[in-house]
């Protein structure tokens, strides 16, 4: 409603000011060319006075842009009234300043492109001042929103899912893109989008120091994934860089999440083989690792015995339920994360097998489960859920 009212005010304002300007220029002969003005200037004073008082008025104002001066006097209340009206429009909606900015921009653009409009410096000045005011209100709104996003605190009971700051960013982008859908210019909006995206990324990054009840990498993974999908859908050119960054960050945190949680089903095996790799990195020959007391064949057998196939499958089932419990269903990342975990688990298994063959050659030591067993565990868990 405020948009339509503002458009109507601006539509009626132009012909009014244009008509008044035309009358003033005609009545006071302010459109005379230089030759005519020179003749008037050399006229004898009595003749000049008899001609009309308005010539004296013209010469008095001639050096101060008489048309603009007269229009400013006639419409002295116009600018204050417009300022008050814009202030009301801004307050109608939390993001009302966007609509005001677009409406003013488009109206001025159309006015300047209209062949029927006179180049009135007075009206241009007034509308230019209103446009500056609208831009100032818009920038203040964006600054306040950026601060709100950056300083947003995690809900005390929040265990995961999409952060309020991300939802707030999404809300603004959806609203602003609709408002600017047919706008002739969107430079201010593009700058605002970049500022807000930076604030959202900063807000997500601050989670690393937050006291979350769940894995921080999981929450960051979900939120960067959500932003990436959202920006893919919106196709906003100025945010292409942020879209790529969100995808990269989503991948990084998923990798950290997968690796951290994968250590749990085979924790002691992981710890043992990390020690083996450390000894080799320190210069111990691979064939001599088994002579290290902590990494002897007997110690390896003890660790492997702790992970029979049935226990490994049970541990994976527990892990799946835990991931399912905390991942938000809206993002539908469970299949993606579970597949990534399967790939990482296979990689670890192959690494363990390779280290056994290199450092414990001829010992006949093998893990209790094979690669085929491992694949069947994952397949069974996926199908049963």
């Amino acid at each position: 409603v405020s948009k339509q009212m503002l458009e109507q005010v601006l539509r009626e304002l132009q012909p009014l000011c244009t008509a008044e300007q035309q009358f003033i220029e005609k009545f006071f002969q302010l459109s005379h060319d230089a030759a005519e003005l020179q003749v008037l200037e050399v006229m004898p004073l009595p003749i000049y006075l008899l001609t009309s008082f308005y010539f004296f008025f013209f010469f008095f104002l001639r050096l101060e842009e008489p048309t603009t001066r007269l229009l400013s006097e006639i419409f002295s209340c116009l600018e204050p009234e417009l300022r008050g009206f814009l202030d009301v429009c801004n307050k109608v909606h939390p993001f009302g300043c966007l609509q005001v900015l677009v409406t003013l921009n488009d109206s001025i653009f159309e006015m300047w492109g209209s062949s029927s409009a006179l180049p009135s410096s007075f009206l241009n000045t007034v509308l230019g001042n209103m446009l500056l005011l609208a831009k100032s209100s818009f920038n203040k709104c964006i600054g306040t929103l950026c601060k709100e996003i950056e300083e947003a605190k995690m809900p005390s009971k929040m265990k995961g899912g999409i952060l309020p700051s991300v939802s707030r960013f999404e809300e603004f982008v959806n609203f602003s893109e609709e408002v600017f859908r047919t706008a002739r210019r969107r430079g201010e909006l593009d700058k605002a989008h970049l500022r807000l995206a930076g604030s959202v990324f900063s807000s997500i990054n601050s989670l690393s120091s937050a006291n979350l009840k769940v894995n921080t990498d999981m929450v960051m993974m979900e939120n960067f994934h959500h932003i990436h999908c959202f920006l893919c859908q919106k196709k906003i050119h100025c945010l292409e860089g942020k879209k790529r960054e969100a995808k990269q960050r989503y991948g990084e945190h998923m990798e950290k999440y997968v690796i951290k949680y994968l250590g749990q089903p085979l924790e002691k095996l992981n710890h043992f083989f990390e020690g083996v790799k450390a000894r080799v990195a320190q210069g111990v020959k691979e064939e001599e690792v088994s002579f290290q007391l902590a990494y002897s064949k007997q110690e390896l057998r003890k660790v492997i015995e702790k992970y029979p196939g049935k226990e490994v499958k049970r541990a994976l089932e527990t892990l799946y339920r835990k991931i399912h419990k905390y991942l938000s269903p809206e993002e539908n990342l469970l299949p993606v994360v579970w597949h990534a975990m399967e790939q990482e688990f296979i990689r670890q298994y192959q690494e363990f097998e390779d280290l056994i063959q290199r450092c414990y050659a001829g010992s006949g030591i093998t893990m209790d489960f094979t690669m085929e067993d491992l694949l069947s565990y994952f397949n069974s868990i996926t199908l049963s859920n």
Side-chain angles (χ1 to χ4, degrees), residues 272-273 275-277 279-280 284-301 355-365:
F272 183 89
F273 284 112
V276 170
K277 289 191 291 184
R279 293 297 182 275
V280 173
V284 177
K285 293 181 179 179
E286 291 179 347
E287 60 271 18
E288 295 178 0
V289 170
S290 62
F291 296 106
Q292 301 275 317
L293 184 60
Y295 302 100
S296 64
K297 296 173 186 178
Q298 185 178 359
E299 289 298 317
L300 176 57
R301 287 191 180 97
L355 286 169
I356 291 173
Q357 290 176 12
R358 284 160 46 199
C359 301
Y360 301 89
S363 66
I365 300 174

Side-chain angles (χ1 to χ4, degrees), residues 187-384:
E188 290 85 2
L189 182 62
D190 287 344
K191 291 176 185 176
H193 279 340
L194 286 170
R195 282 182 66 188
L196 288 166
S199 294
V200 171
F201 279 47
S202 176
S203 175
I204 299 174
N205 290 336
S206 68
L207 287 178
S208 59
S209 59
N211 296 320
L212 297 179
K213 295 181 179 180
V214 291
N215 183 273
T216 303
D217 285 311
M218 183 196 77
V219 180
M220 297 175 86
M221 169 190 72
E222 286 195 310
N223 280 274
F224 278 120
H225 175 264
H226 185 85
I227 290 176
H228 175 256
C229 292
F230 175 69
L231 293 180
C232 284
Q233 175 193 357
K234 303 308 290 187
K235 298 179 181 178
I236 302 172
H237 180 70
C238 71
L239 292 177
E240 282 296 310
K242 288 296 181 183
K243 183 180 76 174
R244 290 191 295 270
E245 184 182 347
K247 183 179 181 180
Q248 179 187 343
R249 298 296 301 281
Y250 147 65
E252 289 173 357
H253 288 290
M254 184 172 73
E255 184 179 350
K256 290 179 182 178
Y257 177 58
V258 167
I259 291 173
K260 180 173 180 178
Y261 271 69
L262 265 181
Q264 294 175 356
L266 304 175
E267 187 173 0
K268 290 183 173 62
L269 268 175
N270 271 287
H271 182 71
F272 183 89
F273 284 112
E274 284 298 322
V276 170
K277 289 191 291 184
R279 293 297 182 275
V280 173
Q282 291 167 5
V284 177
K285 293 181 179 179
E286 291 179 347
E287 60 271 18
E288 295 178 0
V289 170
S290 62
F291 296 106
Q292 301 275 317
L293 184 60
Y295 302 100
S296 64
K297 296 173 186 178
Q298 185 178 359
E299 289 298 317
L300 176 57
R301 287 191 180 97
K302 286 181 182 178
V303 177
I304 286 178
E305 285 174 0
K306 296 179 184 295
Y307 295 98
K310 290 182 179 180
E311 288 299 319
V312 171
K313 183 180 180 183
R314 188 177 293 112
L316 288 173
E317 288 172 342
T318 301
L319 179 62
Y320 183 92
R321 286 194 295 271
K322 188 173 184 180
I323 297 169
H324 182 269
K325 178 181 179 182
Y326 289 114
L327 280 178
S328 58
E330 305 87 46
E331 293 306 296
N332 195 31
L333 280 176
L334 181 59
V336 179
V337 171
W338 188 242
H339 178 71
M341 286 196 162
E342 180 180 2
Q343 296 301 307
E344 179 60 21
F345 210 104
I346 291 170
R347 186 197 66 77
Q348 287 188 10
Y349 178 88
Q350 291 173 333
E351 183 181 40
F352 296 163
E353 286 280 282
D354 181 58
L355 286 169
I356 291 173
Q357 290 176 12
R358 284 160 46 199
C359 301
Y360 301 89
S363 66
I365 300 174
T366 59
M367 285 185 278
D368 188 65
F369 55 94
T370 64
M371 175 70 78
E372 288 71 24
D373 292 332
L374 188 58
L375 291 171
S376 71
Y377 299 157
F378 274 97
N379 189 48
S380 173
I381 293 169
T382 302
L383 292 175
S384 62

Side-chain angles (χ1 to χ4, degrees), residues 94-234:
F95 299 141
C97 56
L98 277 74
Q99 192 67 74
V100 169
L101 180 61
V102 170
T103 305
L104 273 171
N105 254 328
D106 288 353
S107 295
I108 292 173
F109 188 91
E110 291 173 6
M111 190 180 300
W112 288 349
S114 173
S115 58
S116 61
L118 289 175
S120 169
S121 57
F122 165 72
L123 186 56
N124 289 346
T125 300
V126 170
L127 294 182
N129 289 341
M130 295 305 100
L131 186 58
L132 289 175
L133 184 64
K135 289 181 178 180
S136 176
S137 298
F138 176 77
N139 289 331
K140 286 179 182 177
C141 173
I142 299 304
T144 301
L145 187 56
C146 284
K147 187 176 180 181
E148 176 188 326
I149 288 173
E150 290 170 10
E151 297 178 356
K153 294 182 179 179
M154 285 288 295
S156 58
K157 296 182 180 180
M158 186 170 183
K159 295 180 179 179
I162 304 308
L163 300 169
S165 58
V166 174
S167 300
R168 189 72 168 138
F169 170 72
E170 187 174 346
E171 176 192 354
F172 175 84
V173 171
N174 282 328
F175 180 83
S176 62
E177 284 298 313
E178 179 61 28
V179 171
F180 277 77
R181 184 168 50 86
T182 58
R184 297 176 182 268
R185 296 178 58 194
R186 54 172 293 143
E188 290 85 2
L189 182 62
D190 287 344
K191 291 176 185 176
H193 279 340
L194 286 170
R195 282 182 66 188
L196 288 166
S199 294
V200 171
F201 279 47
S202 176
S203 175
I204 299 174
N205 290 336
S206 68
L207 287 178
S208 59
S209 59
N211 296 320
L212 297 179
K213 295 181 179 180
V214 291
N215 183 273
T216 303
D217 285 311
M218 183 196 77
V219 180
M220 297 175 86
M221 169 190 72
E222 286 195 310
N223 280 274
F224 278 120
H225 175 264
H226 185 85
I227 290 176
H228 175 256
C229 292
F230 175 69
L231 293 180
C232 284
Q233 175 193 357
K234 303 308 290 187

Side-chain angles (χ1 to χ4, degrees), residues 26-44:
K26 183 178 181 181
F27 186 83
F28 292 106
Q29 298 187 15
L30 299 183
S31 58
H32 281 295
D33 58 28
E36 291 175 316
L37 293 176
Q38 191 172 15
V39 170
L40 289 171
E41 287 176 341
V42 298
M43 287 175 65

